[in-house]
Amino acid sequence: IYLQSQSHHWHLQCHLYSKNMELDELYKEIGEYVDSIIEGLMSTRVALQIGSGKQYTFLPLEQCIPVLEQYVQAAKHIHQLLDSEDDYGSVNSLEDIISFLERTLYKLKVLQ
């Protein structure tokens, strides 16, 4: 959920057109992917708990790629856990997120 706000923050900081447009796509679309997996998880588990007390800080644009790479690695770890539980709906939703983030990373790294 936080990644949508963080990616919007990066988008607003970015002055390189191609990367600006890719970050625009990221913050506009990541919410739908996240919503899909959360709703799927909530259908088989308990409701999402809000208000963990954790405070978030916006990270600078320079950390965009490393942070997205960390999200992909975390998603792959969660993918393994869900796959071991035969939660195929959530696995499919998570694969969509992983693919979307990997495409985004490719464009951010390669396109100038």
Side-chain angles (χ1 to χ4, degrees):
I1 294 172
Y2 168 73
L3 185 55
Q4 185 174 23
S5 295
Q6 177 61 70
S7 58
H8 193 183
H9 179 73
W10 288 328
H11 163 75
L12 295 173
Q13 292 180 22
C14 188
H15 300 290
L16 187 60
Y17 181 76
S18 62
K19 293 181 190 283
N20 182 279
M21 295 309 296
E22 191 54 40
L23 291 168
D24 180 71
E25 181 180 340
L26 175 61
Y27 90 81
K28 287 181 177 175
E29 294 186 23
I30 193 65
E32 289 297 319
Y33 288 106
V34 171
D35 191 57
S36 176
I37 191 165
I38 289 174
E39 287 177 354
L41 289 169
M42 287 172 54
S43 71
T44 59
R45 292 166 172 78
V46 298
L48 179 66
Q49 300 296 315
I50 305 294
S52 65
K54 182 168 175 72
Q55 294 183 1
Y56 294 96
T57 307
F58 286 115
L59 302 170
L61 181 60
E62 297 78 30
Q63 292 186 11
C64 173
I65 290 174
V67 167
L68 291 176
E69 289 173 336
Q70 290 172 357
Y71 268 86
V72 169
Q73 291 308 310
K76 287 180 178 180
H77 176 71
I78 294 167
H79 180 280
Q80 290 176 342
L81 296 173
L82 294 172
D83 195 37
S84 71
E85 295 176 5
D86 297 330
D87 187 345
Y88 302 117
S90 297
V91 165
N92 290 339
S93 294
L94 197 52
E95 286 173 351
D96 291 341
I97 291 172
I98 292 168
S99 294
F100 177 65
L101 291 177
E102 286 178 335
R103 282 191 315 272
T104 301
L105 278 164
Y106 170 78
K107 292 175 186 177
L108 289 171
K109 290 177 182 179
V110 175
L111 299 179
Q112 295 298 323

